Amino acid sequence: MGTPWAVLVLAVALVGLWAPCATYKQPNFIVILADDVGWGDLGANWAETKETPHLDELAAEGTRFVDFHSAASTCSPSRASLLTGRLGARNGVTHNFAVTSVGGLPLNETTLAEVLRGAGYSTGAIGKWHLGHHGHHHPSFRGFDYYFGIPYSHDMGCMDTPGYNRPPCPPCPRHGSIARVVRKDCYMDVALPLFENTTIIQQPVNLSSLAERYAEEAARFIRRASDSGRPFFLYLALAHMHVPLGVPPSPLASGIYGASLSEMDALVGRIKQVADSHGKGNTLLWFTGDNGPWAQKCELAGRLGPFTGAWQQQRGGSSAKQTTWEGGHRVPALAYWPGHIPAKRTSRALLSALDIFPTLVALAGAALPLHRRFDGLDVSPVLFGWSDVGHKVLLHPNSRAAGKDGGIEALRLAQYKAFYTTGGAMACDGSIGPAEHHQPPLIFNLDRDIQEQEPLDVASREYEEVLPAISRAYTQALEDIATDNISVADYSKDPAVTPCCDPQHVACRCH
């Protein structure tokens, strides 16, 4: 942490990676981010999962990371951190933006797209943004040459094809307010918009065809960029698996969720095929998730695998999305780059979505933005199989379940996980685990207790030996953040900024 870490990242970027950059032209980058995907949703991770043959093939032909973490366990903060390499405590994004949000990712934060475009890349974003849609917070002003997608989650607006949700949401109203049926947790006032660049091209969006449109636009962007001769960066933020889309059940899938998972898998397989057909060996494809499963959706939520957060479950609430338990932020991750990244390899390095920013910047031969510190590391030595060493310390911010949003009250140190605050999110049964503060912290040894069931006895020799190192790491992390160049996000709301293609029609329908 702190200035030494920033210097280390720059040093590795400038020295350790010049060999591959000098030998090969600037590589293309495709980052695929799944929404609310569980670690156990990948067949390569969890034998019970049968719906992901294309992702499993990707794992077999590349490297699978089994101790990989999202930077936060809810949507906007995790995406802001991926695109900046900085935690929400630094970049200002600590909780989700709304349909009526005026602000977004602070404009003084530099995105990965801005750095890569400055290095000569064509840049495209397809899919869910959720980092602000008003004014210059829109992706078209954050470094992306092309944008096609929805401004926030696909359950944050009414639709004519609502897909599956709990509770079931009705279609968008077609007439005045008298005809509306109001249901708790359902957005009814404004239809979900679909953007191409800054123009709303459909409102409400047709969810049943959204996956196909994303695949088509991604393929078109890859072809255009390849034809131009410029390297490209494609950020593909899928609607899957956040509340399944309207997909027909598959005979090979397990229920509605399994059918949606199968559809996502096919989409990823199609993107890989297109990338391979336009110069196999020139493109790094990195697949991961924004956070763990949304447990309150019951059978429509993803699979945790072994990361059950048993200590929390005993006290009520979910230990998945929105929590700092492993199920909230440990996500599947795969990297594929034929001829560069070893095939059939499993890495146990402690890594994070925070690492994507500095790693891609280094591989592009670009420089990190000045006057700010980064929580991510250039982990290309791990990608290339030269090392299996990642973070010594990894911070996990609060994400709504307990504590102040964005506050750092859980961290990893090697195999140890320390909690200064615990809490559960809403579970399928509606329960919410109470927030509890721990001084001294709860400490789990994940090598022996991956389910986080039994914290170390505070009187044990192991606890007494590891506590001083954890306390030092925690204190240093907080001091480093407090002395950094910190941004502040605008979370104010104004109904006037709601995306609307035609305010004269009910629910902002396009005609």
Side-chain angles (χ1 to χ4, degrees):
M1 305 300 299
T3 303
W5 285 106
V7 172
L8 175 62
V9 171
L10 283 170
V12 173
L14 295 173
V15 178
L17 292 175
W18 275 121
C21 288
T23 305
Y24 304 95
K25 64 180 183 179
Q26 286 176 304
N28 305 314
F29 303 126
I30 300 175
V31 175
I32 302 180
L33 187 69
D35 196 354
D36 291 3
V37 67
W39 190 92
D41 281 336
L42 198 68
N45 286 345
W46 197 241
E48 297 176 15
T49 298
K50 308 297 183 185
E51 298 95 346
T52 59
H54 295 98
L55 283 163
D56 297 344
E57 180 183 61
L58 196 67
E61 296 179 3
T63 293
R64 179 173 67 108
F65 303 102
V66 294
D67 201 356
F68 191 98
H69 299 259
S70 61
S73 58
T74 193
C75 300
S76 296
S78 68
R79 291 157 198 273
S81 290
L82 187 156
L83 290 174
T84 64
R86 288 156 53 86
L87 287 166
R90 301 183 197 270
N91 66 38
V93 181
T94 58
H95 53 288
N96 288 342
F97 293 106
V99 173
T100 56
S101 285
V102 172
L105 175 65
L107 300 179
N108 60 311
E109 288 290 323
T110 303
T111 69
L112 177 58
E114 289 170 320
V115 174
L116 293 179
R117 186 161 69 175
Y121 277 70
S122 296
T123 57
I126 294 174
K128 171 180 170 178
W129 178 240
H130 215 169
L131 291 175
H133 52 268
H134 177 59
H136 283 80
H137 295 289
H138 186 279
S140 293
F141 301 97
R142 303 313 303 264
F144 291 102
D145 299 321
Y146 179 72
Y147 173 63
F148 183 92
I150 56 179
Y152 26 70
S153 299
H154 70 268
D155 59 347
M156 292 176 65
C158 67
M159 292 153 282
D160 292 341
T161 54
Y164 300 92
N165 201 352
R166 291 180 65 91
C169 291
C172 286
R174 291 185 176 274
H175 306 291
S177 58
I178 297 176
R180 299 187 185 192
V181 178
V182 179
R183 295 192 183 182
K184 184 180 179 182
D185 295 334
C186 291
Y187 289 80
M188 294 303 301
D189 291 335
V190 179
L192 183 71
L194 177 65
F195 279 84
E196 184 167 27
N197 297 317
T198 58
T199 301
I200 296 175
I201 60 172
Q202 188 180 48
Q203 193 171 12
V205 62
N206 185 340
L207 276 190
S208 62
S209 63
L210 189 60
E212 176 63 23
R213 297 193 72 170
Y214 281 177
E216 290 175 354
E217 292 302 324
R220 186 175 294 115
F221 174 82
I222 292 170
R223 287 193 294 266
R224 280 200 309 260
S226 299
D227 292 343
S228 75
R230 294 171 61 192
F232 67 81
F233 165 52
L234 172 61
Y235 171 57
L236 177 57
L238 303 177
H240 301 81
M241 297 296 301
H242 177 111
V243 185
L245 307 181
V247 295
S250 165
L252 300 178
S254 174
I256 294 169
Y257 188 87
S260 186
L261 183 59
S262 180
E263 182 182 55
M264 181 188 77
D265 178 74
L267 193 162
V268 175
R270 183 170 168 185
I271 300 305
K272 174 181 177 290
Q273 183 181 40
V274 172
D276 283 345
S277 68
H278 286 80
K280 188 171 184 177
N282 295 333
T283 302
L284 164 59
L285 191 159
W286 202 325
F287 171 88
T288 189
D290 71 333
N291 48 249
W294 198 2
Q296 75 181 74
K297 296 298 177 180
C298 302
E299 74 276 6
L300 302 181
R303 299 153 186 167
L304 290 170
F307 307 109
T308 57
W311 188 93
Q312 182 62 55
Q313 288 189 345
Q314 293 168 6
R315 288 157 177 78
S318 159
S319 56
K321 175 181 176 176
Q322 299 176 349
T323 79
T324 51
W325 299 98
E326 291 295 288
H329 53 73
R330 192 183 293 222
V331 288
L334 308 171
Y336 167 79
W337 188 5
H340 300 261
I341 291 176
K344 299 180 180 178
R345 176 171 178 257
T346 295
S347 170
R348 301 188 182 281
L350 178 58
L351 303 181
S352 168
L354 291 159
D355 304 329
I356 292 174
F357 184 105
T359 302
L360 299 194
V361 168
L363 291 172
L368 290 170
L370 300 175
H371 310 303
R372 64 200 61 217
R373 299 171 193 158
F374 295 87
D375 298 287
L377 304 174
D378 171 12
V379 296
S380 48
V382 180
L383 291 185
F384 297 142
W386 305 338
S387 168
D388 210 26
V389 177
H391 290 260
K392 294 180 179 179
V393 176
L394 186 61
L395 308 177
H396 300 308
N398 300 331
S399 299
R400 290 188 61 187
K404 179 183 177 182
D405 287 336
I408 309 298
E409 297 185 43
L411 75 156
R412 271 283 295 278
L413 175 67
Q415 76 269 33
Y416 294 100
K417 176 87 169 285
F419 291 87
Y420 291 88
T421 296
T422 57
M426 182 175 289
C428 175
D429 62 6
S431 67
I432 299 176
E436 298 183 46
H437 300 285
H438 307 277
Q439 192 59 254
L442 291 185
I443 301 176
F444 295 83
N445 184 332
L446 298 184
D447 281 354
R448 294 196 308 266
D449 184 14
I450 200 65
Q451 295 181 336
E452 297 174 297
Q453 183 171 7
E454 189 67 34
L456 300 181
D457 185 342
V458 295
S460 68
R461 181 177 179 180
E462 183 178 14
Y463 188 97
E464 292 176 349
E465 288 179 346
V466 73
L467 179 60
I470 286 175
S471 298
R472 282 195 302 273
Y474 186 54
T475 299
Q476 290 171 2
L478 297 184
E479 289 177 350
D480 181 77
I481 292 171
T483 57
D484 192 12
N485 183 357
I486 295 174
S487 299
V488 178
D490 179 2
Y491 276 97
S492 62
K493 299 177 182 179
D494 182 351
V497 307
T498 302
C500 183
C501 64
D502 191 345
Q504 300 305 312
H505 290 85
V506 64
C508 290
R509 287 182 175 274
C510 288
H511 288 266

